[in-house]
Amino acid sequence: MSPEQAAESGWLGPFLDAVDVKPDIINLHINKNSREGIMMVLDHYAQYGLPMAVTEFACVNDVNGFTPCEDQNEINNYINTIVDILENDERVVAYHFSSGIGLGGTWKLMASGSGLR
């Protein structure tokens, strides 16, 4: 279980060390299914010393691949947990849920059209 986003692959630290003009904020995704996983990601990105915007979060078991959560109770628990963490972590300045693309049918927060599920 890695705290890094798949797209990071170890390049972010060396990049930030090499650039003269540092970004004002760091954007990240959290695709985990536990409090421990959520905190592991936040603590990993906090090492860069920048405010964090979680531009996407979703309930995903990433221990052996990328398996979206399908149990509604697990998803509800995850949402309550992550919102509590993100609301109370001063390192996080913004957050947003995932659109649900690629996360199975249960995660989608919007029904077809424009209504909430």
Side-chain angles (χ1 to χ4, degrees), residues 54-71:
V54 179
T55 55
E56 204 175 278
F57 69 80
C59 186
V60 173
N61 181 339
D62 68 340
V63 173
N64 292 316
F66 187 90
T67 306
C69 302
E70 291 289 340
D71 178 78

Side-chain angles (χ1 to χ4, degrees), residues 10-21:
W11 66 265
L12 184 57
F15 171 79
L16 291 173
D17 289 341
V19 296
D20 293 330
V21 179

Side-chain angles (χ1 to χ4, degrees), residues 22-79:
K22 306 289 186 218
D24 296 325
I25 194 167
I26 193 162
N27 298 323
L28 58 124
H29 296 174
I30 299 178
N31 292 305
K32 301 291 181 187
N33 65 345
S34 68
R35 174 177 292 278
E36 294 76 21
I38 295 164
M39 293 309 300
M40 181 176 57
V41 173
L42 292 174
D43 292 343
H44 170 76
Y45 286 98
Q47 72 179 302
Y48 301 115
L50 297 168
M52 295 181 279
V54 179
T55 55
E56 204 175 278
F57 69 80
C59 186
V60 173
N61 181 339
D62 68 340
V63 173
N64 292 316
F66 187 90
T67 306
C69 302
E70 291 289 340
D71 178 78
Q72 190 63 57
N73 288 329
E74 181 181 15
I75 292 169
N76 293 349
N77 214 12
Y78 173 82
I79 290 171

